[in-house]
Amino acid sequence: MSGSSVDDVTVTLPVSALEPVPESGGPEEAAGSWVSGLAYERQVIPQLETILMKIDPTGKTRVAIEALDPGHDFYVYRALPRSSAINILCFGVIKYTQRSTFPISRIQEDLRKFRGMDKPLLLIANADVTQQGKKVLASSDLRVVWQKWRTESDNSELEAALASLLR
């Protein structure tokens, strides 16, 4: 600061150094709540890569984070032999919530985005889904698996869920 005016200053921080600011709305609407979600995604993706190497040690099955269509955070693919083409095996969505259980409205929103898709969908979140949420998932016309992941100690469950979708 200089005197009574504030000079423009650019500050660079890692996203992990930021914290959401609560507002009067719910925690999902808090200013900066996307920061925790982004940090969570950055934890999950490397774990998926490690798990895929266990499932397919040849390295032909990979995870990609570039978007083909809006709505998903990653997809798992296998390179086709003697071709630059790929076969997408499943799509994935990584969700973060500050609540103890995942809101059904957000589950329904994701299912609407993928309606009519012929590829399986892996939903990874840091919270459990309620019984009502499980019913919504089960009644979907999609092949969808919900998997809670919080730390590396949850990798074996994530591996089992991913392997079931890739069969």
Side-chain angles (χ1 to χ4, degrees):
M1 294 180 83
S2 62
S4 61
S5 66
V6 177
D7 296 331
D8 286 340
V9 177
T10 301
V11 178
T12 304
L13 298 170
V15 73
S16 59
L18 302 175
E19 292 288 332
V21 177
E23 291 180 351
S24 59
E28 303 304 326
E29 299 164 5
S33 61
W34 61 271
V35 172
S36 297
L38 183 59
Y40 179 67
E41 281 183 33
R42 288 183 175 175
Q43 289 178 314
V44 172
I45 294 295
Q47 300 306 314
L48 285 170
E49 291 170 340
T50 301
I51 289 168
L52 281 173
M53 283 304 291
K54 287 177 73 179
I55 293 172
D56 181 5
T58 67
K60 292 180 182 173
T61 305
R62 309 286 307 268
V63 63
I65 55 174
E66 63 266 0
L68 296 174
D69 290 313
H72 68 275
D73 296 311
F74 68 92
Y75 59 92
V76 176
Y77 70 95
R78 186 170 293 130
L80 296 175
R82 296 178 289 284
S83 172
S84 61
I86 62 170
N87 178 24
I88 295 176
L89 304 172
C90 76
F91 288 98
V93 176
I94 301 170
K95 293 292 186 181
Y96 180 85
T97 183
Q98 294 179 4
R99 300 177 184 187
S100 59
T101 58
F102 206 80
I104 292 172
S105 61
R106 289 183 62 199
I107 295 169
Q108 291 169 323
E109 178 184 318
D110 282 321
L111 293 178
R112 275 192 297 276
K113 289 178 193 173
F114 290 95
R115 185 172 286 138
M117 184 180 66
D118 63 344
K119 301 292 182 190
L121 178 63
L122 176 59
L123 294 172
I124 303 170
N126 67 317
D128 288 318
V129 65
T130 63
Q131 282 302 115
Q132 187 179 3
K134 289 178 183 175
K135 288 178 185 175
V136 168
L137 291 170
S139 66
S140 171
D141 62 344
L142 300 170
R143 184 171 167 217
V144 59
V145 171
W146 179 274
Q147 185 58 53
K148 182 174 85 172
W149 186 92
R150 291 190 177 163
T151 66
E152 286 183 40
S153 64
D154 297 321
N155 278 5
S156 59
E157 291 87 2
L158 182 55
E159 180 179 347
L162 188 54
S164 75
L165 286 177
L166 300 180
R167 288 189 192 117

